Amino acid sequence: MNTMEKKPTAKKKVKKNVVQGQCHISAGFGNVIITFTDPNGNTVSWSSAGHLGFKGSRKGTPYAAQVTCEDAAKKAMDSGMKSVDVLLTGPGAGREPAIRALAGTGMRILSLKDITPIPHNGCRPPKRRRI
């Protein structure tokens, strides 16, 4: 085996300059995930409550959603993003605070759409929780 082999070097990340894009907010009961994409759907930046150090049930709180949105928006703005279409998914507590935090960062919100999937009497729900 040759000891002078070259180690594979990681490719340098290219900063995308995207002015307009989409913000996908996935607000579940246990976590909040926010992804900024370009109009084609390619990820520009993302953040989640767990990624920022929130653990356990604190990940699903409104405060965690607010902090997560500010973090993801800051990363997106570094890539040149100025205006977004917001797509909301999920029933969690972090829906409203995430949108408020996004508006507070100075990014223009062009449209707001709820794309939470609603079953039309699909699968049978799980049995009732007994505590």
Side-chain angles (χ1 to χ4, degrees):
M1 200 143 158
N2 194 357
T3 55
M4 296 296 286
E5 284 182 33
K6 275 192 175 180
K7 290 180 183 169
T9 54
K11 286 184 181 178
K12 193 176 180 186
K13 271 193 178 176
V14 180
K15 280 273 187 204
K16 299 172 185 147
N17 192 17
V18 184
V19 178
Q20 187 181 339
Q22 296 174 332
C23 173
H24 296 264
I25 300 173
S26 173
F29 292 120
N31 202 355
V32 177
I33 303 166
I34 293 165
T35 311
F36 283 88
T37 65
D38 62 14
N40 299 332
N42 302 315
T43 303
V44 175
S45 74
W46 68 273
S47 190
S48 74
H51 181 72
L52 293 177
F54 290 94
K55 284 191 172 144
S57 59
R58 292 208 316 264
K59 289 193 294 188
T61 61
Y63 176 69
Q66 180 185 330
V67 174
T68 303
C69 197
E70 286 167 3
D71 179 59
K74 200 184 297 171
K75 290 178 194 171
M77 286 170 113
D78 291 345
S79 299
M81 200 171 281
K82 288 182 176 71
S83 56
V84 288
D85 296 309
V86 180
L87 300 167
L88 260 174
T89 315
R95 294 164 59 101
E96 290 293 316
I99 296 164
R100 288 179 207 276
L102 182 61
T105 58
M107 206 174 269
R108 271 184 69 216
I109 296 173
L110 301 174
S111 70
L112 210 161
K113 191 175 181 186
D114 191 345
I115 54 168
T116 306
I118 299 163
H120 296 284
N121 282 354
C123 347
R124 182 177 179 173
K127 63 186 181 195
R128 204 162 156 256
R129 248 177 105 199
R130 291 191 294 263
I131 300 170

